[in-house]
Amino acid sequence: MSIKTWVVIFGGLILLGCTSNERRTFSPTWEAQDSGTSVSLRGLSAVDSEVVWASGQFGTILRTVDGGQTWEKKQIPNTDSVDFRDIEAFSDQVAYVLSAGSPAYIFRTEDGGDNWVKQLEDTLPNIFLDGMAFWNEQRGIVMGDPINEKFTLLSTTNGGQSWTPVKLPARSARPHAGEGGFAASGTNIVTQGSNCVWFGTGGGDARIFRSLDGGKTWEVNSSPLAQGTPSKGVFSLAFVDTLRGIAVGGDYQNPNSNVKNSAYTANGGRTWYSAIASPQGYRSGVAYLPDANAYVAVGTTGSDYSTDMGVTWTFIDTVGYHSIQAVPNSSVAWVCGGNGKIARLTW
C-alpha cells in the first residue's frame, strides 16, 4: 500500500474519531414548494426559516417571507435575458444578485426587491462571474473566470457602492491552461469567520485558493477532484469553521460518475483528502447543517449526506437540485434546481 493511500486513510480515521461522539440520527425529508416558475434556478440564499431568496434564468428573482407558502417574483427592468446565477440576502429587504455571462451585473435592493441599484456592469465579451460571498452586509467578494491570464476577483467594503479588483500572487495563482470556475450554484466561493475565503476551480486543473486575511494574501492548493476537461472540477465548497471543510464537484457531463467528486480538509484547505465513500454522482452544491452536524450535497442526479465531516456519504434519493443553503440555528435547509424546483429540507 502506497504512502499516499495511508495518508488518506489516516486522515479519514482522524476525522471519524473527532466526530464519532457527535454523530446522530439524520433522516432528511424534502418538502416540495410551488415556486410559480419553470426556469432553472441556481442562486439561493436562506436568511431564516421564513425568508428565502432564489434566482435564475431570464432575470428571475424570487422571494418568500412565509416559509415557502408563497413566492413573489421580483423584476429588474431590462434583465429578461440575464441569468442570475447567485443571490446573497441579509434580510427580507436587503439582497445582492449577480449574473453570469456578458454583460456581467451586480444589483442590490434595500426594499425587498421592489427597486434595484446597479452596482456593477461589465461588458467585456469574455467576462463571466461565477459567484459571490460575503462576510457581512458591507464586505463581500466576487470570483470570475480568467481574463488576460488572471482570475477575476472583486471585493467591496462599502455594501457594493464600489467593487475593487483583488490582486492574486502573480506566479502561483496564474490560471493553468483551460482552468476556470463554475457558476453552478454560486458556492464555488465561500467565506468563513471575519476574514477567511476560499474559491475552487476546474477545467484544466482543480485547485482551491484560500485567503485568511480578506483577500490580501493567497495560498493555492491542489485538490483530488476530477480535472483535465472543461466539465470537471470543484463546483461547491462549504466550511464548518476555519479548519474543516468540504469540496464537491466531479464531471457534469458524466453526472452519474462518483469518481473524484468529493474531498475534505481538516486544516483550512491546505491539504485535501478524497472521500472514502463518495456521493453517488456529480454534485453542484454542498452545505453544512449545524443543527444536524451533517453535510448535504446536491446535484442533477440526486443528493447525499455525510455525518462524519465528508469522509463517507450516504445516498438520499434521485431528485435533482442545483443548490442548497442551510438556515442558521434551525432544522431547515433549502434547495433549488431545474424547472423551477424549490424544496425545504427538514430532518
Side-chain angles (χ1 to χ4, degrees):
M1 188 176 292
S2 68
I3 293 176
K4 183 177 179 180
T5 301
W6 277 114
V7 169
V8 172
I9 293 174
F10 183 65
L13 290 174
I14 289 175
L15 280 181
L16 283 169
C18 290
T19 60
S20 60
N21 292 330
E22 303 172 9
R23 297 173 74 177
R24 68 180 74 178
T25 301
F26 182 59
S27 301
T29 301
W30 306 115
E31 298 174 0
Q33 308 283 313
D34 181 3
S35 69
T37 184
S38 60
V39 307
S40 177
L41 302 172
R42 293 183 183 272
L44 186 63
S45 186
V47 177
D48 55 39
S49 58
E50 299 295 314
V51 178
V52 185
W53 297 70
S55 64
Q57 293 177 311
F58 308 118
T60 301
I61 300 173
L62 304 175
R63 184 191 71 158
T64 182
V65 294
D66 56 14
Q69 295 181 51
T70 56
W71 289 87
E72 310 165 272
K73 187 172 183 179
K74 303 295 183 178
Q75 189 68 45
I76 301 175
N78 303 314
T79 62
D80 290 349
S81 62
V82 172
D83 193 351
F84 287 127
R85 293 289 185 96
D86 197 7
I87 192 164
E88 299 289 335
F90 293 89
S91 68
D92 63 339
Q93 299 295 302
V94 177
Y96 298 80
V97 67
L98 170 148
S99 70
S102 180
Y105 293 112
I106 298 175
F107 293 91
R108 173 180 160 120
T109 183
E110 296 182 352
D111 60 6
D114 292 335
N115 296 280
W116 296 81
V117 174
K118 182 167 62 179
Q119 297 188 323
L120 176 75
E121 180 179 8
D122 192 325
T123 59
L124 286 173
N126 53 349
I127 187 72
F128 196 97
L129 302 181
D130 295 297
M132 59 182 170
F134 286 79
W135 291 278
N136 55 49
E137 186 179 326
Q138 297 298 309
R139 295 179 59 225
I141 188 166
V142 168
M143 181 265 177
D145 286 353
I147 296 178
N148 297 327
E149 297 188 347
K150 295 180 181 178
F151 283 104
T152 302
L153 280 179
L154 306 169
S155 69
T156 183
T157 59
N158 56 15
Q161 295 179 49
S162 59
W163 290 90
T164 305
V166 176
K167 293 183 179 180
L168 286 166
R171 184 169 299 177
S172 62
R174 184 175 299 165
H176 293 171
E179 186 179 15
F182 292 108
S185 63
T187 54
N188 78 318
I189 182 167
V190 295
T191 56
Q192 176 62 242
S194 58
N195 283 299
C196 296
V197 56
W198 299 261
F199 71 85
T201 67
D205 205 346
R207 297 188 291 171
I208 297 174
F209 294 61
R210 73 165 189 159
S211 173
L212 305 182
D213 54 15
K216 295 177 182 178
T217 60
W218 293 84
E219 177 182 302
V220 189
N221 298 288
S222 61
S223 85
L225 268 67
Q227 56 196 268
T229 63
S231 59
K232 298 177 180 179
V234 179
F235 284 75
S236 181
L237 297 163
F239 276 78
V240 175
D241 48 38
T242 58
L243 294 177
R244 297 174 294 165
I246 293 289
V248 300
D251 183 354
Y252 73 79
Q253 289 191 343
N254 188 11
N256 291 305
S257 172
N258 65 349
V259 177
K260 296 183 178 181
N261 65 352
S262 176
Y264 61 89
T265 181
N267 60 8
R270 290 165 53 201
T271 52
W272 293 85
Y273 302 103
S274 293
I276 293 174
S278 300
Q280 293 302 300
Y282 151 74
R283 297 295 178 250
S284 55
V286 64
Y288 176 66
L289 316 182
D291 185 69
N293 192 33
Y295 285 100
V296 172
V298 299
T300 53
T301 60
S303 56
D304 315 80
Y305 71 85
S306 173
T307 55
D308 57 14
M309 294 294 124
V311 179
T312 61
W313 293 83
T314 300
F315 187 62
I316 298 175
D317 60 32
T318 59
V319 180
Y321 296 103
H322 295 316
S323 307
I324 179 168
Q325 289 282 316
V327 176
N329 306 312
S330 172
S331 295
V332 175
W334 290 84
V335 290
C336 67
N339 299 313
K341 283 190 294 188
I342 293 180
R344 280 168 50 107
L345 175 64
T346 59
W347 55 88

